[in-house]
């Protein structure tokens, strides 16, 4: 399965255009999928957990269709940034970049992107594609580094061998891991725990044999 690029816009025509633009730019390497508009901001986590999400494009104005969401693209990006600290997030707009899009809070997204920037075969779109691929590459590197470190610490945690500083690092990694990999990591945790139990049973049997031999 290709990594997923999600997009969110509340206007049907705008969704269609954004889908076409993103697919034209990225479909060779990514699967481009639509996020449904949710009244409850927490429900977005259901859509993006357990999947290889590479990035999310969020329209700034999410109430133009008359649906009452109670949040803007900036607010949604800020919420997702808390839960997914490294995932590339982009705010998109067909309007001038001003107001909340110029606020400090908008910095929770990688960038604010004018929809005209996404038009295929323009210098702006080619420039943005390069930026996007770098952002996704850095995200994958950070994700891999955290995963490797977590997996290094996990067996030692199960054996009770971690020093206080290492235990704090383990807990931090466990609590801040991205939802997009959490299910896979939990599966790995269960597998490691099961394997550790098997090893402990084997060691116990070996100890019994050793004692019987020496007696």
């Amino acid at each position: 399965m290709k990594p997923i690029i999600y997009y969110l816009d509340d206007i049907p025509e705008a969704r269609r255009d954004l889908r076409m633009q993103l697919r034209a730019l990225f479909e060779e390497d990514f699967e481009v999928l639509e996020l449904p508009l949710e009244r409850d901001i927490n429900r977005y986590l259901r859509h993006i957990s357990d999947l290889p999400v590479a990035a999310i494009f969020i329209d700034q104005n999410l109430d133009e269709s008359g649906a009452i969401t109670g949040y803007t693209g900036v607010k949604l990006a800020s919420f997702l940034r808390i839960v997914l600290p490294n995932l590339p997030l982009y705010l998109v707009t067909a309007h001038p970049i001003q107001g909340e899009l110029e606020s400090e809070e908008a910095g929770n997204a990688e960038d604010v992107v004018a929809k005209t920037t996404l038009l295929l075969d323009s210098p702006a779109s080619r420039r943005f594609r390069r930026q996007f691929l770098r952002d996704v590459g850095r995200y994958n590197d950070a994700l891999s580094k955290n995963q490797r470190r977590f997996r290094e610490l996990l067996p030692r945690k199960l054996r009770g061998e971690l020093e206080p500083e290492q235990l704090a690092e383990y807990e931090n990694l466990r609590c801040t891991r991205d939802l997009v990999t959490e299910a896979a990591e939990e599966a790995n945790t269960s597998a490691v725990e099961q394997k550790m139990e098997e090893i402990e049973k084997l060691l116990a049997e070996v100890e019994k044999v050793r004692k019987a031999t020496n007696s």
Side-chain angles (χ1 to χ4, degrees):
M1 184 178 186
K2 293 180 181 179
I4 295 169
I5 294 174
Y6 270 127
Y7 64 93
L8 175 65
D9 199 308
D10 70 324
I11 301 294
E13 296 81 3
R15 283 199 299 273
R16 178 202 62 206
D17 293 344
L18 187 54
R19 178 176 64 249
M20 292 174 61
Q21 288 173 301
L22 291 174
R23 286 182 174 175
L25 283 173
F26 301 118
E27 193 170 33
E28 180 179 350
D29 303 305
F30 301 89
E31 186 170 1
V32 178
L33 300 176
E34 176 185 338
L35 270 179
L37 188 68
E38 297 285 3
R39 290 179 178 270
D40 181 358
I41 198 170
N42 293 283
R43 291 181 64 88
Y44 287 105
L45 300 180
R46 298 184 182 184
H47 300 293
I48 61 181
S49 62
D50 304 342
L51 293 173
V53 180
I56 304 177
F57 288 77
I58 308 167
D59 183 61
Q60 166 63 0
N61 298 318
L62 295 174
D63 56 1
E64 292 181 293
S65 64
I68 301 173
T69 60
Y71 53 86
T72 61
V74 168
K75 298 299 183 186
L76 177 55
S78 298
F79 167 74
L80 293 174
R81 179 60 67 214
I82 294 172
V83 183
L84 303 163
N86 298 309
L87 181 67
L89 303 171
Y90 301 90
L91 297 165
V92 295
T93 181
H95 305 289
I97 298 175
Q98 58 188 18
E100 191 180 31
L101 289 174
E102 293 182 305
S103 68
E104 180 179 352
E105 189 177 8
N108 284 309
E110 262 62 38
D111 203 354
V112 178
V113 183
K115 290 184 177 180
T116 54
T117 298
L118 301 175
L119 293 174
L120 186 63
D121 288 336
S122 67
S125 73
R126 291 193 291 270
R127 182 167 59 250
F128 176 73
R129 175 178 165 81
R130 291 187 177 186
Q131 173 194 328
F132 176 84
L133 294 176
R134 287 195 300 270
D135 291 342
V136 171
R138 283 191 291 267
Y139 171 59
N140 289 334
D141 289 343
L143 196 61
S144 298
K145 181 179 179 181
N146 287 340
Q147 287 176 333
R148 287 196 301 270
R149 182 57 177 163
F150 182 80
R151 289 166 182 166
E152 288 173 3
L153 294 174
L154 176 58
R156 298 174 61 192
K157 167 65 169 59
L158 296 174
R159 295 194 298 265
E161 297 176 353
L162 295 182
E163 298 294 331
E165 296 83 0
Q166 295 170 330
L167 182 60
E169 180 185 6
Y170 167 85
E171 291 297 336
N172 182 63
L173 287 171
R174 184 181 64 82
C175 291
T176 59
R177 282 178 298 148
D178 294 341
L179 288 177
V180 292
T181 60
E182 186 170 357
E185 289 292 350
E186 289 302 325
N188 287 334
T189 300
S190 299
V192 170
E193 289 175 340
Q194 181 179 356
K195 183 61 66 177
M196 290 296 295
E197 290 176 359
E198 293 174 0
I199 292 173
E200 288 173 356
K201 289 179 181 178
L202 179 60
L203 290 175
E205 292 297 325
V206 170
E207 182 64 14
K208 287 181 182 179
V209 172
R210 186 186 68 78
K211 288 182 177 179
T213 301
N214 294 335
S215 60

